[in-house]
Amino acid sequence: MPFAQPKFLMALSLAAMTAVVSGCNSYKPAPQAFNQATIQPYSLDSGDRLRITVFDQPSMTNTYTIDQAGYIAFPLVGQVPARGRTLQQLSGQIAQKLRQGYLRDPDVTIDVDRYRSIFVMGEVGQSGQYAYVPGMTVQNAVAVAGGFTPRANQGAVDVTRKINGQVITGRVNISSAIIAGDTIYVRERLF
């Protein structure tokens, strides 16, 4: 009977190790929509700063920031919803509002002056908020944040992204593209 207790402890420790390892592998990879968001036209959101030009109207040509509610305050027409719209959709919407008694045939063009920030956390040299640059990858973002720490899992990272108003987190490799507003979390490697 003296051997019954060590066998029980061995079985219990094996079950605990299996639970820990299976818990690490239960994280699902990024869904299809997650990756498709990187090739879609840029979708505006809070924090983006836009350069809006109305041809032959210097008093309306200026930079405007999308507020927390997702609107820009534009002269003459007031609050214009911008969240979730593309640059073309927003310029068409502003032109339509200006046609309603303000300008005969407004020509509105919009460029992104400054993209909303990305956030890099976890096992990096300097966690924090950083400027987004179009075409940025996870590896570029980690480099801007001071690179990986010696304990970092350099194979895959977790990226949290807002898609169609829904916040989704997925695991991607370091060569994956990111978009403005993403939060990148570099995990610690197990061994």
Side-chain angles (χ1 to χ4, degrees), residues 11-60:
L12 186 61
S13 64
L14 183 60
M17 285 178 33
T18 303
V20 168
V21 171
S22 67
C24 294
N25 292 330
S26 66
Y27 201 88
K28 296 179 182 171
Q32 183 88 7
F34 192 86
N35 294 322
Q36 288 178 345
T38 61
I39 58 172
Q40 299 298 320
Y42 185 69
S43 182
L44 298 168
D45 207 345
S46 298
D48 286 331
R49 188 169 67 192
L50 309 174
R51 175 82 179 146
I52 302 178
T53 305
V54 181
F55 181 71
D56 223 13
Q57 299 295 322
S59 63
M60 291 185 195

Side-chain angles (χ1 to χ4, degrees), residues 22-176:
S22 67
C24 294
N25 292 330
S26 66
Y27 201 88
K28 296 179 182 171
Q32 183 88 7
F34 192 86
N35 294 322
Q36 288 178 345
T38 61
I39 58 172
Q40 299 298 320
Y42 185 69
S43 182
L44 298 168
D45 207 345
S46 298
D48 286 331
R49 188 169 67 192
L50 309 174
R51 175 82 179 146
I52 302 178
T53 305
V54 181
F55 181 71
D56 223 13
Q57 299 295 322
S59 63
M60 291 185 195
T61 298
N62 207 343
T63 56
Y64 301 88
T65 302
I66 301 174
D67 65 17
Q68 286 297 334
Y71 291 85
I72 59 167
F74 200 77
L76 300 177
V77 298
Q79 298 288 342
V80 180
R83 177 177 287 145
R85 291 180 170 65
T86 64
L87 296 173
Q88 285 183 323
Q89 290 170 336
L90 183 59
S91 67
Q93 188 176 7
I94 291 171
Q96 179 185 16
K97 287 182 178 272
L98 288 172
R99 274 189 208 97
Q100 297 171 354
Y102 301 108
L103 297 175
R104 185 176 306 159
D105 191 23
D107 183 10
V108 179
T109 58
I110 303 176
D111 296 310
V112 178
D113 186 54
R114 185 187 69 219
Y115 292 90
R116 60 189 176 274
S117 301
I118 59 167
F119 301 88
V120 186
M121 308 178 337
E123 294 297 322
V124 293
Q126 183 81 31
S127 295
Q129 176 179 346
Y130 296 96
Y132 171 77
V133 178
M136 206 171 205
T137 64
V138 169
Q139 190 171 24
N140 299 139
V142 169
V144 169
F148 291 109
T149 65
R151 297 181 313 210
N153 176 355
Q154 297 182 24
V157 300
D158 297 337
V159 176
T160 302
R161 173 177 297 160
K162 188 190 280 188
I163 302 172
N164 298 327
Q166 207 175 17
V167 178
I168 299 173
T169 299
R171 187 158 291 163
V172 298
N173 63 35
I174 62 170
S175 63
S176 297

